[in-house]
Amino acid sequence: MSEKKPFAWETGIAWKNKDRIVVRGYDVNELTGNISFAEHFHLVLRGELPTPEVGRMTEAIMVNMAEHAMSPSSATVRFATSGGAELNAAVAAGVAGIGRLHGTADRPADLFRAVAERADRDGLSDTEAAAKVVAEMRERRERMPGFHHAQHIRDPRTERLLGLADELGITGRYVTIARAMEDATEDVFGRRVWINGPGSMGCVGLDMGYEPLQLKAMFIVCRSLSLCAHSIEEVTREKGWRASANSDMVQPLSLEMQGPDHYDGPADRKLP
């Protein structure tokens, strides 16, 4: 019987010893001061340095998506902080609040890929496949990830990201599919349903070569900056619990918000 080799974490990402730290084959000190964080993000996730255009577009997306004022993730961070959670725990709570309906770029990316696969399988143009998929999703009353934004309707981030993708020569098949789907909504819905920020991130990201999960990682990384800021502001500006009766506004945890006037469950009852 051959001897088993000692356990080790096998990875193609990085290695270190007491003298060196090497990331994807590059000494970290050579990278330091010579590449941007967005370029480093691409290197760590995808294994190679990006082209200048992809590096600039990656940085643009991360700036564009880093902060979005009060959203499910930032509100979650503030609640966790108000309960005394440490910064890392509060940010982790906020990251956990990034889900199917908030901060996702992987789901629209998956949708755009599905349209491309439909076109290839059925011998359709991308425009025809886009229209068919939109109509079928409407018929099933299925939400279209990457389209519409409850707060903006027409997301102000989208035009800038898609315009920059055009300018940098990044626009390819997936941005074209996303735009064709948006065009198709006019006939299917009787109104235009606009591509939102995560939708634009999804199609541009695919055209840059990112995988859907890598785009989700990109959102988590850049939005964590915002989550840190919200936690630090909460702990330095506000009292714990966000429920003080001395506050000049009704706070979310105030008993005023939790009394019988805001309860619509069963009336008072006794055990038989």
Side-chain angles (χ1 to χ4, degrees):
M1 180 183 293
S2 61
E3 280 192 33
K4 292 182 178 178
K5 66 179 183 179
F7 172 81
W9 297 108
E10 300 289 345
T11 175
I13 299 170
W15 66 268
K16 65 186 175 186
N17 59 24
K18 67 176 185 177
D19 300 313
R20 297 186 68 204
I21 303 167
V22 177
V23 180
R24 299 288 193 185
Y26 294 97
D27 190 291
V28 74
N29 285 334
E30 184 181 358
L31 297 172
T32 303
N34 291 313
I35 66 171
S36 70
F37 184 76
E39 290 171 315
H40 194 54
F41 175 90
H42 187 282
L43 173 66
V44 172
L45 248 65
R46 296 195 54 77
E48 298 293 341
L49 289 166
T51 65
E53 294 78 13
V54 168
R56 185 178 169 198
M57 191 76 231
T58 297
E59 188 161 0
I61 289 174
M62 295 178 83
V63 169
N64 193 265
M65 293 288 161
E67 176 57 72
H68 195 223
M70 291 303 161
S71 61
S73 56
S74 52
T76 300
V77 160
R78 285 179 177 269
F79 272 117
T81 304
S82 75
E86 297 292 343
L87 176 63
N88 56 309
V91 171
V95 169
I98 296 170
R100 292 184 306 106
L101 304 180
H102 162 56
T104 178
D106 56 315
R107 293 185 68 228
D110 284 333
L111 174 60
F112 302 140
R113 274 188 166 178
V115 171
E117 290 165 4
R118 176 74 173 273
D120 294 341
R121 185 184 69 238
D122 295 350
L124 303 170
S125 70
D126 287 344
T127 299
E128 291 169 332
K132 281 185 177 292
V133 169
V134 170
E136 289 165 1
M137 294 183 79
R138 172 63 168 169
E139 187 177 347
R140 295 192 298 265
R141 302 182 68 81
E142 188 177 339
R143 183 186 292 270
M144 290 174 57
F147 291 84
H148 181 68
H149 194 289
Q151 293 175 317
H152 299 300
I153 309 302
R154 185 173 185 180
D155 194 323
R157 298 171 293 187
T158 300
E159 185 176 2
R160 175 59 178 157
L161 288 180
L162 295 186
L164 192 56
D166 293 341
E167 177 187 323
L168 293 173
I170 286 183
T171 293
R173 185 178 193 185
Y174 295 104
V175 169
T176 302
I177 284 172
R179 284 172 165 156
M181 293 183 76
E182 183 181 275
D183 290 341
T185 62
E186 298 235 18
D187 289 333
V188 173
F189 290 84
R191 61 184 175 83
R192 197 167 190 86
V193 182
W194 304 94
I195 304 167
N196 61 26
S200 58
M201 181 178 176
C203 61
V204 172
L206 287 177
D207 280 336
M208 287 194 287
Y210 286 105
E211 295 293 323
L213 271 183
Q214 292 171 339
L215 292 171
K216 191 179 190 76
M218 188 187 300
F219 185 89
I220 290 169
V221 168
C222 67
R223 185 54 64 91
S224 291
L225 166 63
S226 165
L227 302 183
C228 287
H230 281 280
S231 179
I232 291 168
E233 184 177 69
E234 184 72 23
V235 81
T236 55
R237 284 181 47 169
E238 306 294 341
K239 296 179 180 178
W241 266 77
R242 276 284 199 170
S244 171
N246 298 322
S247 174
D248 59 1
M249 68 174 71
V250 178
Q251 295 289 353
L253 297 182
S254 169
L255 290 178
E256 293 178 57
M257 303 294 290
Q258 302 179 55
D261 291 345
H262 302 285
Y263 170 78
D264 59 3
D268 287 358
R269 51 186 171 173
K270 296 185 180 298
L271 286 172

